[in-house]
């Protein structure tokens, strides 16, 4: 557009006394189809203060949205829910803080910034403050990513059932809300085994019995897959090769287990019982 305006300006300087048809004929072919109205608008703009060196600036409020991800094979996808189990923690632990990751649409800052979220009442079974306390979110200084901390409480009723908290980001603090499809996040917890945040593709279908056996054999409760940005050397991150090796180890361990024990079924209540096995689509 700036090039077009400067073309008009040059032609005006050289053709002030020529007719409009003659003036139009001097324009580049791609501009000759423009109507008189558009040409007049262009002339007005060209005579104004527009310049190729004039910076074009805009300002938007910094925005925040949920950004939890998981790695499946070589693909990183966003997730909108998370499970937490007190059954994997020492019995002395009566509360714990879970941090849900968020990301900023906008600039970084040289100071910590804060944002807010609320519980969506008609989609939440957890009760505050009995089951949880919702704290203020933080974006650390110089960072594009931050987190929303939620204090979860271990209560007697969660030994029988899980509770759920549906979170919604709201305007407030230093931010307005960001991507409209990424403003909600569901958090569920209980004092019993729940599906971990990262259940490997190589383990196949999830079940509580498979999870319990994997914990007993491997001593691991979550299996986050490494991405192309890391090599799995960090604690708690595993390469695809390591996850496949885990699956093989679990199947070997189950074969040994079956020599002296009764079978473990994927679903003990199913009419067509299947013994546990660790492989994709199993």
């Amino acid at each position: 557009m700036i090039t077009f305006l400067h073309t008009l300006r040059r032609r005006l300087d050289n053709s002030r006394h020529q007719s409009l048809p003659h003036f139009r004929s001097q324009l580049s072919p791609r501009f000759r189809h423009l109507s008189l109205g558009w040409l007049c608008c262009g002339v007005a703009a060209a005579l104004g203060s527009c310049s190729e060196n004039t910076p074009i600036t805009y300002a938007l409020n910094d925005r925040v949205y949920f950004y939890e991800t998981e790695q499946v094979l070589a693909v990183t996808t966003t997730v909108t829910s998370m499970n937490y189990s007190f059954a994997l923690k020492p019995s002395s632990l009566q509360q714990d803080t879970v941090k849900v990751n968020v990301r900023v649409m906008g600039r970084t800052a040289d100071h910590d910034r804060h944002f807010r979220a609320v519980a969506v009442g008609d989609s939440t079974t957890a009760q505050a403050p009995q089951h949880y306390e919702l704290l203020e979110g933080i974006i650390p200084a110089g960072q594009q990513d931050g987190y929303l901390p939620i204090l979860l409480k271990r209560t007697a009723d969660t030994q029988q059932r899980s509770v759920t908290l549906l979170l919604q980001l709201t305007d407030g603090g230093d931010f307005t809300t960001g991507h409209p499809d990424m403003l909600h996040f569901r958090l569920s917890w209980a004092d019993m085994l729940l599906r971990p945040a990262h259940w490997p593709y190589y383990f196949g279908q999830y079940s509580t019995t498979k999870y319990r056996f994997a914990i007993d054999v491997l001593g691991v409760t979550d299996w986050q897959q490494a991405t192309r940005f890391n090599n799995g050397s960090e604690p708690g991150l595993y390469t695809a090769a390591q996850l496949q090796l885990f699956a093989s180890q679990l199947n070997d361990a189950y074969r040994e287990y079956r020599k002296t024990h009764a079978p473990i079924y994927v679903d003990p209540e199913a009419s067509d019982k299947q013994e546990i096995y660790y492989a994709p689509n199993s």
Side-chain angles (χ1 to χ4, degrees):
M1 185 63 184
I2 291 176
T3 301
F4 170 56
L5 296 179
H6 279 273
T7 299
L8 287 172
R9 194 165 191 169
R10 286 195 301 271
R11 296 306 183 193
L12 283 169
D13 290 341
N14 297 329
S15 309
R16 291 185 183 274
H17 305 292
Q18 296 174 355
S19 65
L20 180 61
H22 182 78
F23 168 68
R24 191 200 300 266
S25 69
Q26 297 183 57
L27 294 176
S28 169
R30 60 178 174 164
F31 297 133
R32 289 175 189 167
H33 70 282
L34 295 176
S35 67
L36 175 60
W38 279 108
L39 286 173
C40 290
C41 290
V43 169
L47 294 175
S49 60
C50 181
S51 170
E52 289 189 27
N53 295 323
T54 301
I56 299 176
T57 60
Y58 64 94
L60 291 175
N61 292 332
D62 292 336
R63 301 167 182 264
V64 66
Y65 61 96
F66 285 117
Y67 192 68
E68 278 287 343
T69 62
E70 67 177 1
Q71 184 79 6
V72 179
L73 298 180
V75 179
T76 299
T77 59
T78 57
V79 295
T80 58
S81 64
M82 178 190 302
N83 292 333
Y84 177 95
S85 175
F86 276 105
L88 302 174
K89 306 296 182 180
S91 58
S92 59
L93 183 69
Q94 294 302 303
Q95 59 185 32
D96 197 7
T97 301
V98 170
K99 297 177 180 179
V100 181
N101 292 325
V102 300
R103 177 161 287 183
V104 171
M105 297 170 62
R107 300 152 294 187
T108 59
D110 59 2
H111 58 276
D112 290 351
R113 293 177 291 172
H114 300 88
F115 63 93
R116 295 171 188 160
V118 296
V120 180
D122 59 359
S123 299
T124 294
T125 61
Q127 300 294 318
Q130 176 188 353
H131 294 118
Y132 73 93
E133 292 180 28
L134 186 54
L135 308 177
E136 191 173 48
I138 183 170
I139 308 293
Q143 299 297 311
Q144 204 78 20
D145 295 334
Y147 57 87
L148 176 67
I150 306 99
L151 181 65
L152 306 184
K153 300 182 180 181
R154 191 176 205 164
T155 55
D157 61 327
T158 58
Q159 294 179 352
Q160 306 298 324
R161 65 181 180 91
S162 64
V163 292
T164 297
L165 170 62
L166 181 61
L167 298 162
Q168 178 179 316
L169 294 171
T170 61
D171 295 346
D174 299 301
F175 295 93
T176 55
T177 53
H179 197 295
D181 295 331
M182 303 175 75
L183 301 182
H184 294 87
F185 194 87
R186 187 180 301 277
L187 182 61
S188 300
W189 68 97
D191 196 2
M192 54 189 184
L193 283 185
L194 296 175
R195 181 184 176 121
H198 306 94
W199 179 257
Y201 164 81
Y202 305 100
F203 288 9
Q205 175 189 354
Y206 171 81
S207 77
T208 301
T209 54
K210 289 176 72 171
Y211 187 26
R212 171 55 68 188
F213 188 79
I215 293 172
D216 292 342
V217 172
L218 301 175
V220 179
T221 60
D222 194 51
W223 296 267
Q224 184 175 358
Q225 186 170 339
T227 69
R228 67 178 183 272
F229 301 110
N230 52 54
N231 57 15
S233 59
E234 300 176 38
L237 291 179
Y238 305 96
T239 64
Q242 288 174 313
L243 295 174
Q244 292 177 74
L245 179 59
F246 284 155
S248 178
Q249 291 173 340
L250 289 168
N251 290 326
D252 290 344
Y254 183 68
R255 280 190 289 269
E256 290 298 314
Y257 173 91
R258 283 290 284 115
K259 291 178 181 179
T260 56
H261 295 79
I264 300 175
Y265 297 111
V266 173
D267 182 0
E269 304 300 324
S271 56
D272 182 19
K273 294 180 174 59
Q274 302 290 327
E275 292 190 50
I276 63 172
Y277 187 72
Y278 298 84
N281 303 318
S282 65

